[in-house]
Amino acid sequence: MTVARRRQQPAPAPRRPRKRPPVRRGMRVLGAVSLGILTASGIGHAVLGHMDDRLTRVDAFAGMKNRPTPTKGTNFLLVGTDVRRGLTKAQRTGLRLGGEPCDCTDTMLLAHLSRDGRRVSVVALPRDSYAELPRAGKLQWAWGVGGPALAVSTVEKMTGVKVDHYAEFDFGSFMRTVDHIGGVDLCFAQPLRDAATGLDLPAGTVRADGGTALRYVRSGHIPGGLDLQRMQNQQRFLAALVRRVSDIGLLQNPVKLDQVAKAALGSVRADRQTKPDDLIALATGLRGGFGARSVEFATVPVDATPFRVQGVGSTLRWDAKGAKRIFDALREDRPLTGPDGGPPVTPSPSAPEQPERVEVPPKSIRVQVNNGTTINGLGARVDKELRRVGFRTTGTPGNTIRHDAEYTVIHYDPGWDRSAEALATALPYAKMRSVPGLGSTLRVTVGADYDGVTPVRAGEPDPPVAPPVGLPPLRGDRILCG
């Protein structure tokens, strides 16, 4: 029996791998875990799609020109508005939301998501900061005067940081979000009470619902004050919120994520380019272990003394050097904190030399300088240095007959001893020699011991300048309790 031999088919040619299109930054940062779970569950597109439908869109970048250059990471301007739609009269009364809405922003945060998706830096912008809108005003007025576009452009001008995404939240969405994740754990070393907001919390750990959390983040503001306690409360709340979202595994539960999205995004307004996964990336998609250690907080330091502006009232001026350090770090995608999560260790700048106080103003003291050494040009140099600190030199330095002077000597008429004391303060190593009848012009013989001129100044000491105030940069796990 002949068995037919099966014709061997040639092996199929190896398939060339398809070149994948570049992954958009927001989706990449969302993280393999969260995106994988949503996709594997079969409802990934539905969840994200429904989120997109719930966002109200605004044109936050309309007509903007001459914007800052993009940074390596992604920057979000997050705005909390004093809008009370959706709250019943009983809720407004219980939350002590008296009066009319201010048509302004209650909170402004500039959040930077690092390029590698491992760090979020949140910088609080004091709401009473002095700003040009373009007229003089407060930063919190920008939104009410010109909407999201003016809020974005004002922040960009003040910080030099380009805003990539914009989102705003109101009181209602804030409370609903907290309630849908089962509350947030806050802890205090001392009882915390605020009659203005109705806050009354004991020492220890408290599970705060939406209403309690809103009272907490609104507490601590003193009219005309620096608002630091209020901003610190907000930082602690955000750190606790991050920890809570991590603890309940929100990303591992698409159904719960969808419920929270319904609560949070129902009254959120965002720019037209922002997608839900951009917000999720910022809020919960940090690579390398999402948690309070992944988020760092800072506030813009301000001058200790409020700056009063006619027609505006008391405003806060940013400390230029401190603000520059923060926003330079955001632009360069650098951490705001040190390796231990505390403030970065930077060398203290050396204090500028303060002029010595004298009784007689240097500008009223006439001085003739003579070079008593063999050093060419030393007399002219001393004449110039004395004139630089304010003395009225002749401008025609001379030379002594002998050129072997070891010591610098001040010759003065006893009638001008107070002027001589002022000059001796500027030349503390010089010897004093009284010469009756010399007249009002003091004479300096420069010796080999010449060691420069000490700045002097007449009058009362300047009042001490208060250092700028602000909250030092701290990682989220360092500020959870207070």
Side-chain angles (χ1 to χ4, degrees):
M1 183 176 186
T2 303
V3 178
R5 298 181 62 184
R6 186 177 293 180
R7 188 176 179 180
Q8 186 173 2
Q9 298 293 329
R15 298 178 62 184
R16 296 180 62 184
R18 294 177 60 189
K19 186 177 180 180
R20 295 184 178 181
V23 182
R24 195 163 53 82
R25 175 182 297 168
M27 190 65 75
R28 182 174 66 244
V29 174
L30 183 59
V33 175
S34 58
L35 188 59
I37 289 173
L38 288 175
T39 304
S41 69
I43 64 169
H45 292 293
V47 171
L48 292 177
H50 288 171
M51 289 182 184
D52 196 39
D53 293 340
R54 293 175 191 128
L55 286 172
T56 301
R57 299 298 181 174
V58 296
D59 197 348
F61 307 108
M64 294 180 61
K65 300 178 181 179
N66 302 319
R67 301 182 65 193
T69 56
T71 64
K72 294 180 180 179
T74 307
N75 303 306
F76 297 74
L77 180 60
L78 306 177
V79 172
T81 62
D82 185 8
V83 175
R84 306 166 192 186
R85 58 175 173 264
L87 298 181
T88 65
K89 182 177 180 180
Q91 286 177 317
R92 292 196 297 268
T93 301
L95 294 169
R96 308 284 177 91
L97 299 176
E100 294 298 321
C102 68
D103 198 26
C104 63
T105 53
D106 197 59
T107 301
M108 267 190 158
L109 303 173
L110 185 60
H112 173 82
L113 178 62
S114 65
R115 186 177 186 178
D116 63 6
R118 296 180 180 272
R119 182 185 68 256
V120 170
S121 304
V122 181
V123 181
L125 310 177
R127 61 184 186 177
D128 288 334
S129 300
Y130 175 80
E132 299 287 344
L133 303 174
R135 295 180 60 184
K138 298 183 180 183
L139 180 58
Q140 66 172 333
W141 295 354
W143 181 84
V145 171
L150 184 58
V152 170
S153 64
T154 302
V155 168
E156 288 190 341
K157 289 176 183 177
M158 294 176 68
T159 66
V161 176
K162 184 178 181 181
V163 174
D164 301 300
H165 297 290
Y166 169 89
E168 67 182 51
F169 310 83
D170 60 25
F171 292 157
S173 62
F174 175 90
M175 291 192 299
R176 288 192 296 271
T177 302
V178 174
D179 287 337
H180 271 76
I181 63 173
V184 172
D185 290 332
L186 303 173
C187 58
F188 314 99
Q190 303 291 334
L192 193 61
R193 296 181 177 85
D194 186 345
T197 63
L199 185 69
D200 187 0
L201 298 175
T205 301
V206 175
R207 175 66 57 85
D209 61 11
T212 302
L214 181 61
R215 292 187 184 94
Y216 176 65
V217 299
R218 297 184 65 242
S219 291
H221 174 60
I222 302 173
L226 299 179
D227 220 6
L228 290 181
Q229 182 60 57
R230 182 174 169 277
M231 288 188 287
Q232 188 174 57
N233 290 352
Q234 292 174 0
Q235 290 182 357
R236 286 179 175 152
F237 169 79
L238 288 173
L241 178 64
V242 169
R243 183 174 62 178
R244 175 65 175 168
V245 169
S246 177
D247 288 346
I248 66 175
L250 184 60
L251 288 180
Q252 287 79 9
N253 189 336
V255 176
K256 187 67 175 178
L257 178 61
D258 187 52
Q259 293 174 347
V260 173
K262 289 178 181 177
L265 302 183
S267 54
V268 170
R269 304 203 310 166
D271 67 271
R272 301 185 190 281
Q273 291 75 36
T274 294
K275 301 300 181 184
D277 54 297
D278 292 316
L279 298 177
I280 295 175
L282 177 68
T284 59
L286 293 170
R287 290 179 179 175
F290 169 71
R293 291 175 60 87
S294 304
V295 188
E296 56 184 7
F297 299 91
T299 64
V300 181
V302 297
D303 293 341
T305 303
F307 175 60
R308 295 198 63 82
V309 180
Q310 185 174 5
V312 177
S314 181
T315 68
L316 300 176
R317 271 190 162 171
W318 290 359
D319 174 64
K321 291 183 179 179
K324 184 178 185 300
R325 281 194 296 269
I326 289 176
F327 299 122
D328 282 352
L330 295 190
R331 283 190 294 270
E332 297 164 12
D333 200 31
R334 292 186 284 106
L336 301 177
T337 58
D340 64 346
V345 179
T346 55
S348 300
S350 56
E353 185 179 8
Q354 296 297 320
E356 295 286 341
R357 296 290 166 176
V358 294
E359 195 173 346
V360 179
K363 65 181 181 180
S364 67
I365 302 175
R366 182 80 167 169
V367 181
Q368 169 65 46
V369 177
N370 295 314
N371 186 2
T373 73
T374 58
I375 304 173
N376 290 331
L378 182 59
R381 194 176 97 201
V382 176
D383 183 279
K384 182 178 180 180
E385 291 181 358
L386 285 172
R387 198 176 332 122
R388 178 176 56 83
V389 300
F391 289 95
R392 190 162 55 93
T393 65
T394 62
T396 56
N399 294 290
T400 59
I401 297 176
R402 299 180 60 173
H403 307 293
D404 58 354
E406 296 183 26
Y407 307 105
T408 300
V409 180
I410 297 174
H411 305 270
Y412 68 98
D413 189 303
W416 278 265
D417 58 335
R418 292 168 60 240
S419 295
E421 290 175 3
L423 182 58
T425 302
L427 304 170
Y429 45 84
K431 297 181 181 297
M432 304 285 287
R433 185 169 298 171
S434 173
V435 182
L438 183 63
S440 60
T441 300
L442 309 183
R443 297 184 182 274
V444 175
T445 299
V446 183
D449 66 340
Y450 176 73
D451 193 27
V453 176
T454 300
V456 295
R457 180 180 175 185
E460 296 297 323
D462 290 332
V465 177
V469 295
L471 302 174
L474 288 174
R475 203 171 57 203
D477 59 322
R478 296 281 300 269
I479 64 172
L480 283 169
C481 292

